[in-house]
């Protein structure tokens, strides 16, 4: 018996059908062991010895693998064809050896396939190799670096910036990009500019819209006409002139198709065209890769391996694509020779293939019944992109036409193009990020006019415009930016975006990333005190060194030594950072965000306390994180959470109502004390300071809305716990109140949670 070990059970099920009864195919269920989440798992005192453990989840899978290994004559490690997969194979082998599961004559092989088809799997089994320790060590180095940063830097964050969650080697750089883009948007000053257009029409011809490009002998730049008066003066003057065609510039251009998908371009295009997040895209691609049952009962993988930075296609794939093109579109859509693509990404692994259909002749409509809606949409996207990448170029006829005033004082220009041959555009057109709505010239057809033809200028009009700030990152544009900078690798993009959201560092709103207050604070702290380690350039250099490790050109522990020598000193030095220093820097660095100047402020200092009018607001650090308070505390108890404003005027961390907090609801009847409505780390609550050691606070109950909370309800909340009377058997009081886990009843030191329709205020 021969044992084949793959990563997932669905893959195991598919491959088992290909190999027959002589093979037992089992899954490792991903990594079988990892560094435990505790200090010392990477021993920096002993040349970075890594102490791996099998966790409780993996233990049962290890037991199954161990039992099967003892009964087999050969083991084929068939995990994924990348660094992570190579490392999993090595870990599986290490665990089996530690368990003494291998007989003396047991052969161990590493096999790799990039698609789960019978042909690819049987070919891989027939051509095994040894585990590539260069790839394993590159993955070990990456894992050690991530561990060292996380377990060294995160505790510094917790001590110096309460309320923080964690810091990561790559996630912190991605957070910096998002925060810096937000700062650009906040600092952006809108500029006004004008342009002037006219409809130029020759006798018997259709009119065409043209824009003024030259005025009084000078070429107009974007900001040459900056106010309405200047624009109207030019508009008026243009109406008094006659015009003729001064030049016609026809040219023919070719547009070539885009390369087939890599992981990052698939995530970008799935975001643009399908609205899928990176995580969802990878989950769907995983299912397409691992295989689905097709008509006839055969289970097969529909796409090649989905974690790749290569745009290379095998000769077999190109041949299949060219056959499909000729069959479905005709010979005119087939270029004379196959197209070859080269990756732009740094250190792309060209030995791998791009993401493509395993069988280019398998059109999307052939697998409709086998796939759910989203899987089908993603498969169709991959199929179209692959086939289009081998299709003929599109040919466009472009024309630029200029119209000159009779005294040559003004020139207007119109452009247009027509598709002479659609080529690959017949099947596929790539999406764009942040495309402007006013880009409308591409498909416009210009009338056939010759130089000297007289034209009338109709509908001359000046139009006002304002510059836009740079757009926030979408998932697609952020992945593209990370790839351009050489940060992260195909397998990490989706997890980077997920971690930032899970930590509440960023918010994905309308498909755009907005940094949360917590994310802004963490980023400001890291860029102020650990700037080197959140530099995109520094992180990219480490990625390059890891690539050298995988190529066998660099020893992996040398990378760790070089990094740790300087990083550990920075961690040690952070012990001397005073909280007052942290506060001063964050207060200064984030002033435009925390204390934005309001348009309605009429010059009023945004740091002026809105309650007492005398104190100055500043940043403070408490047990649960940063907040803003008045300098006259305790005389003035005004506090609010840290939040700025988004472009639409809303708080970028809370609802509009929460952004208006704190506010006074009224006075408590007996004492006259102010009753405040505030927002804290656990939600919105009411507070009253009746002269005791600390203010009395009660959280709003589930279903209560802050904007509709009345003074009467607030008084009831602050009166909790309520004495409902004595228990008839014990004589002990029964109390109703609200605690950490919600409304409760208390009797004889025993708590009962209130559920259903029971109301703690009225029960």
């Amino acid at each position: 018996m021969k044992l084949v070990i793959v990563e997932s059970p669905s893959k195991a099920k598919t491959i088992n059908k290909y190999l027959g009864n002589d093979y037992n195919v089992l899954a490792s269920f991903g990594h079988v062991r990892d560094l435990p989440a505790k200090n010392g798992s990477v021993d920096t005192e002993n040349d970075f010895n890594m102490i791996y453990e099998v966790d409780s989840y993996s233990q049962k899978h290890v037991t199954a693998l161990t039992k099967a290994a003892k009964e087999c004559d050969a083991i084929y490690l068939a995990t994924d064809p990348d660094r992570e997969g190579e490392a999993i194979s090595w870990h599986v082998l290490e665990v089996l050896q530690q368990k003494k599961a291998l007989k003396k004559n047991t052969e161990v092989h590493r096999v790799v396939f990039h698609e789960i088809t019978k042909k690819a799997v049987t070919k891989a089994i027939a051509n095994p190799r040894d585990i590539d320790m260069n790839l394993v060590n590159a993955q070990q180095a990456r894992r050690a670096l991530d561990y060292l940063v996380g377990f060294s830097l995160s505790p510094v964050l917790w001590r110096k910036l309460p309320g923080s969650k964690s810091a990561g080697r790559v996630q912190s750089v991605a957070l910096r990009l998002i925060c810096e883009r937000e700062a650009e948007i906040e600092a952006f000053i809108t500029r006004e500019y004008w342009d002037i257009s006219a409809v130029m029409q020759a006798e018997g011809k259709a009119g065409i819209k043209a824009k003024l490009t030259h005025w009084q002998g000078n070429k107009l730049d974007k900001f040459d006409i900056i106010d309405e008066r200047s624009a109207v003066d030019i508009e008026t003057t243009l109406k008094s002139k006659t015009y003729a065609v001064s030049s016609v510039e026809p040219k023919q251009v070719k547009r070539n198709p885009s390369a087939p998908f890599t992981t990052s371009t698939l995530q970008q295009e799935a975001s643009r065209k399908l609205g899928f997040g990176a995580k969802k895209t990878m989950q769907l691609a995983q299912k397409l890769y691992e295989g689905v049952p097709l008509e006839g009962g055969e289970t097969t993988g529909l796409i090649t391996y989905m974690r790749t930075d290569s745009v290379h296609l095998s000769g077999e794939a190109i041949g299949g694509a060219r056959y499909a093109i000729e069959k479905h579109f005709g010979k005119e859509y087939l270029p004379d020779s196959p197209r070859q693509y080269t990756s732009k990404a740094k250190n792309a692994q060209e030995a791998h293939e791009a993401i493509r259909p395993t069988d280019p002749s398998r059109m999307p409509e052939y697998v409709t019944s086998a796939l759910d809606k989203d899987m089908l949409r993603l498969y169709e996207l991959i199929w179209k992109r692959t086939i289009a990448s081998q299709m003929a170029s599109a040919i466009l006829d472009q024309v630029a036409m200029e119209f000159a005033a009779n005294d040559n004082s003004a020139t207007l220009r119109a452009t247009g193009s027509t598709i002479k041959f659609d080529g690959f555009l017949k099947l596929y057109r790539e999406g764009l990020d942040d495309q402007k709505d006013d880009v409308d010239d591409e498909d416009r057809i210009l009338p056939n006019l010759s130089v000297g033809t007289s034209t009338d200028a109709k509908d001359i009009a000046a139009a006002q415009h304002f510059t836009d700030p740079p757009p926030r990152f979408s998932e697609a544009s952020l992945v593209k930016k990370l790839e351009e900078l050489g940060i992260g690798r195909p397998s990490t993009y989706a997890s980077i975006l997920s971690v930032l959201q899970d930590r509440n560092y960023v918010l994905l709103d309308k498909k755009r990333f907005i940094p949360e207050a917590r994310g802004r604070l963490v980023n400001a702290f890291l860029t102020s005190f650990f700037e080197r380690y959140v530099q995109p350039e520094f992180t990219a250099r480490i990625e390059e060194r890891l690539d050298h490790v995988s190529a066998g050109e660099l020893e992996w522990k040398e990378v760790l030594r070089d990094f740790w020598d300087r990083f550990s000193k920075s961690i040690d030095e952070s012990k001397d950072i005073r909280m007052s220093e942290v506060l001063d820097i964050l207060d200064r660095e984030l002033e435009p965000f925390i204390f934005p100047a309001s348009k309605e402020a009429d010059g009023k200092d945004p740091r002026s306390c809105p309650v007492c009018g005398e104190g100055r607001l500043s940043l403070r650090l408490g047990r649960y994180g940063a907040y803003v308070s008045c300098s006259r505390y305790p005389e003035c108890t005004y506090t609010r959470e840290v939040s700025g404003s988004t472009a639409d005027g809303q708080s970028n961390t809370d609802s509009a109502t929460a952004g208006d907090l704190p506010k006074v609801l009224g006075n408590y009847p007996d004492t006259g004390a102010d009753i405040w409505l505030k927002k804290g780390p656990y939600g919105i609550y009411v507070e009253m300071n009746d002269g005791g050691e600390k203010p009395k606070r009660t959280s709003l109950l589930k279903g209560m809305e802050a904007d509709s909370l009345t003074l009467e309800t607030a008084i009831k909340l602050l009166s909790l716990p309520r004495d409902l009377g004595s228990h008839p058997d014990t004589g002990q009081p029964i109390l109703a109140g609200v605690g950490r886990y919600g409304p409760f009843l208390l009797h004889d030191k025993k708590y009962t949670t209130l559920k259903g329709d029971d109301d703690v205020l009225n029960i």
Side-chain angles (χ1 to χ4, degrees), residues 548-746:
H548 289 310
V549 172
S550 66
E553 300 165 354
L554 185 62
E555 206 275 318
W556 68 288
K557 289 193 176 180
E558 182 181 336
V559 176
L560 298 181
R561 292 185 202 105
D562 291 346
F563 174 83
W564 182 249
D565 181 58
R566 189 163 176 177
F567 181 69
S568 60
K569 292 177 182 176
S570 298
I571 295 296
D572 290 340
E573 291 167 359
S574 71
K575 297 174 184 176
D576 298 327
I577 299 173
R578 301 185 309 276
M579 294 294 284
S580 59
E581 184 181 357
V582 174
L583 271 175
D584 289 344
I585 288 178
L586 296 185
D587 189 272
R588 182 176 66 251
E589 292 293 323
L590 295 176
E591 182 174 35
F593 164 67
I594 302 174
F595 307 105
S598 171
K599 294 179 181 179
E600 295 79 25
D602 296 327
K604 185 179 179 181
D605 184 357
R607 284 180 177 264
S608 177
C609 178
V611 174
C612 70
E614 299 177 20
R616 178 176 171 79
L617 302 182
S618 59
L619 191 67
R620 293 285 182 267
L621 289 174
R623 179 181 177 185
Y624 300 109
Y627 63 97
V628 174
S629 74
C630 178
S631 60
R632 294 186 62 248
Y633 179 85
E635 288 82 7
C636 177
T637 59
Y638 174 82
T639 61
R640 68 168 172 84
E641 64 176 11
V642 176
S643 63
S645 297
T646 61
D648 58 6
Q650 296 289 314
S651 164
N652 69 357
T653 52
D654 304 293
S655 67
T657 300
D660 295 334
L661 303 183
K663 66 179 181 180
V664 176
L665 295 175
N667 303 106
Y668 199 77
D670 298 336
T671 64
D674 289 339
I675 296 177
W676 288 82
L677 184 65
K678 296 185 175 184
K679 187 173 189 301
Y682 299 116
I684 298 175
Y685 62 94
V686 290
E687 176 185 282
M688 175 186 67
N689 192 338
D690 56 3
E693 290 186 9
K694 61 181 182 179
K696 183 175 177 57
R697 295 171 178 168
T698 305
S699 297
L700 267 62
L701 303 178
K702 186 177 180 180
M704 287 185 173
E705 297 291 340
D707 53 3
S708 59
L709 188 74
T710 64
L711 175 62
E712 181 183 4
T713 302
I715 292 171
K716 287 184 177 181
L717 288 171
L718 290 167
S719 299
L720 296 175
R722 296 169 52 226
D723 188 341
L724 305 185
S726 300
H727 192 287
D729 296 334
T730 66
Q732 297 289 328
I734 299 174
L735 302 179
V738 177
R740 183 177 181 183
Y741 302 107
F744 64 83
L745 294 180
L746 172 63

Side-chain angles (χ1 to χ4, degrees), residues 316-329:
E316 184 179 355
I318 291 175
R322 288 176 64 83
Y323 175 79
I325 292 166
E326 185 172 356
K327 178 181 179 181
H328 297 293
F329 301 98

Side-chain angles (χ1 to χ4, degrees), residues 251-259 273 332-333 335 339 341 388-399 415-432 435 439-444:
K251 65 177 179 178
Q252 198 171 82
V253 296
K254 281 187 176 181
R255 182 177 297 173
N256 296 322
S258 299
K273 288 184 176 292
E332 66 271 26
Y333 287 91
R339 294 186 181 276
Y341 296 91
S389 74
Q390 291 299 318
M391 291 177 73
S393 302
I395 300 175
L396 284 72
D397 286 330
Q398 293 184 343
V399 178
T415 58
S417 67
T418 57
I419 297 176
K420 184 176 182 180
F421 174 63
D422 54 4
F424 73 93
L425 293 176
K426 186 177 186 71
L427 179 64
Y428 183 83
R429 188 187 294 254
E430 186 176 28
L432 296 172
Q435 187 172 10
V439 181
D440 59 357
D441 294 340
E442 188 171 291
D443 299 320
R444 186 166 59 184

Side-chain angles (χ1 to χ4, degrees), residues 258-518:
S258 299
F261 281 132
T262 63
T263 302
S264 68
T265 54
L266 175 63
Q267 291 174 359
Q268 292 168 46
E269 197 73 338
S271 174
R272 299 181 192 117
K273 288 184 176 292
L274 308 179
F276 294 168
K279 185 175 182 180
K280 179 175 181 177
T281 298
M282 296 309 290
Q283 289 172 338
L284 294 171
Q286 181 88 30
K287 293 177 181 178
L288 293 172
Y289 166 67
E290 292 184 346
V292 297
L294 302 177
E295 288 187 16
E298 181 186 354
T299 299
T300 188
L302 297 185
I303 65 170
T304 53
Y305 190 55
M306 63 286 164
R307 293 186 179 90
T308 177
D309 49 15
S310 172
V311 291
H312 170 72
L313 292 178
S314 67
E316 184 179 355
I318 291 175
R322 288 176 64 83
Y323 175 79
I325 292 166
E326 185 172 356
K327 178 181 179 181
H328 297 293
F329 301 98
K331 283 188 176 181
E332 66 271 26
Y333 287 91
L334 192 65
D336 294 335
S337 59
R339 294 186 181 276
Q340 301 292 343
Y341 296 91
T342 303
S343 292
K344 295 179 182 178
K346 299 177 182 178
N347 303 299
Q349 302 174 63
E350 296 296 352
H352 294 177
E353 276 199 82
I355 303 170
R356 63 165 177 84
T358 55
D359 181 359
S361 67
R362 189 179 288 120
M363 298 178 70
E365 48 263 44
Y366 295 168
V367 294
T368 301
S369 60
L371 302 177
D372 64 33
K373 180 181 177 182
D374 287 342
M375 288 175 69
L376 179 63
R377 293 174 71 199
L378 189 65
Y379 178 75
E380 182 179 32
L381 187 70
I382 294 168
W383 185 86
K384 285 184 175 181
R385 176 80 164 223
T386 304
I387 301 300
S389 74
Q390 291 299 318
M391 291 177 73
S393 302
I395 300 175
L396 284 72
D397 286 330
Q398 293 184 343
V399 178
M401 193 175 293
E402 291 188 340
F403 306 86
N406 56 331
D407 59 358
N408 289 320
S409 62
T411 301
L412 293 92
R413 182 180 178 89
T415 58
S417 67
T418 57
I419 297 176
K420 184 176 182 180
F421 174 63
D422 54 4
F424 73 93
L425 293 176
K426 186 177 186 71
L427 179 64
Y428 183 83
R429 188 187 294 254
E430 186 176 28
L432 296 172
D433 291 316
D434 309 316
Q435 187 172 10
K436 300 296 183 183
D437 294 334
D438 58 357
V439 181
D440 59 357
D441 294 340
E442 188 171 291
D443 299 320
R444 186 166 59 184
I445 301 174
L446 300 186
N448 186 16
L449 301 178
S450 57
V451 173
T453 302
S454 297
T455 59
D456 293 328
K458 300 180 178 180
D459 301 327
I460 298 174
Q464 183 185 39
H465 304 279
F466 295 94
T467 54
D468 294 321
R472 293 187 175 104
F473 284 112
S474 62
E475 288 204 18
S477 60
L478 183 58
V479 166
K480 184 177 181 181
K481 185 68 173 179
L482 291 170
E483 185 182 40
E484 288 174 353
L485 294 171
I487 296 169
R489 280 298 177 261
S491 60
T492 63
Y493 297 131
S495 63
I496 290 169
L497 306 187
S498 294
V499 167
L500 290 177
Q501 295 174 78
D502 293 343
R503 299 287 185 269
N504 294 323
Y505 286 169
V506 302
L507 174 71
L508 190 61
D509 181 48
K510 299 176 183 176
K511 298 184 179 180
R512 297 285 173 170
F513 284 115
I514 304 173
E516 299 260 31
R518 177 179 287 164

